[in-house]
Amino acid sequence: AQKITQTQPGMFVQEKEAVTLDCTYDTSDQSYGLFWYKQPSSGEMIFLIYQGSYDEQNATEGRYSLNFQKARKSANLVISASQLGDSAMYFCAMRRSNFNKFYFGSGTKLNVKP
Amino acid sequence: EPEVTQTPSHQVTQMGQEVILRCVPISNHLYFYWYRQILGQKVEFLVSFYNNEISEKSEIFDDQFSVERPDGSNFTLKIRSTKLEDSAMYFCASSEFVGRGGDQPQHFGDGTRLSIL
């Protein structure tokens, strides 16, 4: 069974500092994709970053980077230079190759302190 | 930037009533999805839809649920006889294609908050 685990229900970070949000996954598939979404208090789901299981380099998108460790089955999200607007829930998700559904983790609520 | 739009943003319905949630996916996308998120919980997959038929569904998506693409732009989720436990945020999503490596993000709408009284 596919499973996504986010062990940090809540995190605090000081504005302008970097923060790492943890995500581990469990799958026997060789081909899959890992995604991070941001959900502000207003409720929408915003796609942040993607990492493919065959990608050798860690994905980066602006201030977001994904620390992908395939052997450990982890896909941690790193946010550099945190901003107040980064305060939100963050969800890690996985999609198996050639299947449709996303498996979501339980989320991490990030609070950025001024 | 094109986006997925959902209406209404909030729906209040009496238990036992039928409800239809509407979505307009991104125009060149081929795959459509419904997810739900009960308050404070994780996002759960309900159903995916491609080429005018359901391609995958979860155990949550029982006979009370149905999806339809009535025209070239809308994608709807119908709940026939709502229950209290159907109260949740319902997200529509779409993606361009489903390929090897799972590399297509799903673009989500802003959600419809469904409240069953």
Side-chain angles (χ1 to χ4, degrees):
Chain A
Q2 328 305 311
K3 190 177 177 183
I4 303 289
T5 303
Q6 294 180 253
T7 57
Q8 307 151 313
M11 290 276 288
F12 284 92
V13 65
Q14 201 70 38
E15 193 179 8
K16 299 181 185 176
E17 291 186 351
V19 64
T20 298
L21 307 184
D22 294 342
C23 173
T24 58
Y25 58 93
D26 186 16
T27 182
S28 56
D29 290 5
Q30 296 301 308
S31 180
Y32 49 87
L34 297 156
F35 303 80
W36 277 91
Y37 285 82
K38 172 183 178 182
Q39 186 178 43
S41 57
S42 48
E44 68 269 33
M45 294 283 284
I46 303 167
F47 166 68
L48 296 178
I49 196 167
Y50 159 79
Q51 178 84 43
S53 57
Y54 290 115
D55 294 341
E56 294 186 352
Q57 291 197 333
N58 287 339
T60 59
E61 287 286 346
R63 294 187 298 110
Y64 304 109
S65 60
L66 204 152
N67 183 1
F68 180 48
Q69 298 187 45
K70 191 171 182 177
R72 293 185 177 184
K73 294 188 175 177
S74 74
N76 299 337
L77 176 70
V78 180
I79 305 174
S80 62
S82 297
Q83 301 171 357
L84 295 178
D86 294 335
S87 294
M89 281 289 285
Y90 289 81
F91 290 96
C92 180
M94 180 181 73
R95 190 173 75 76
R96 301 165 68 192
S97 179
N98 294 327
F99 287 84
N100 300 327
K101 64 189 282 189
F102 272 19
Y103 299 86
F104 281 88
S106 54
T108 295
K109 185 169 175 59
L110 178 67
N111 283 291
V112 180
K113 298 188 293 183
Chain B
E1 186 174 324
E3 56 182 28
V4 176
T5 56
Q6 290 186 243
T7 53
S9 56
H10 192 189
Q11 173 82 46
V12 182
T13 302
Q14 290 288 332
M15 186 173 61
Q17 295 296 306
E18 175 182 285
V19 66
I20 298 176
L21 309 182
R22 302 181 191 279
C23 169
V24 179
I26 295 173
S27 61
N28 65 330
H29 284 188
L30 301 177
Y31 291 83
F32 316 116
Y33 314 85
W34 284 101
Y35 291 82
R36 80 172 185 191
Q37 184 183 29
I38 296 171
L39 187 63
Q41 298 187 21
K42 68 170 69 174
V43 178
E44 301 173 290
F45 170 79
L46 292 177
V47 66
S48 62
F49 192 85
Y50 169 70
N51 200 26
N52 283 320
E53 60 183 23
I54 291 173
S55 50
E56 193 174 356
K57 62 181 181 179
S58 72
E59 61 277 5
I60 302 169
F61 193 87
D62 61 21
D63 292 344
Q64 293 298 311
F65 291 88
S66 62
V67 289
E68 193 177 32
R69 188 154 163 82
D71 53 43
S73 59
N74 290 284
F75 179 53
T76 62
L77 174 70
K78 183 194 289 185
I79 309 175
R80 264 179 268 281
S81 178
T82 50
K83 303 187 282 285
L84 293 176
E85 53 265 37
D86 293 328
S87 294
M89 179 77 94
Y90 287 80
F91 289 103
C92 174
S94 69
S95 64
E96 201 170 346
F97 61 87
V98 171
R100 282 187 56 80
D103 59 357
Q104 277 293 304
Q106 294 177 11
H107 297 268
F108 284 72
D110 289 350
T112 293
R113 185 168 299 283
L114 178 62
S115 300
I116 307 300
L117 304 179

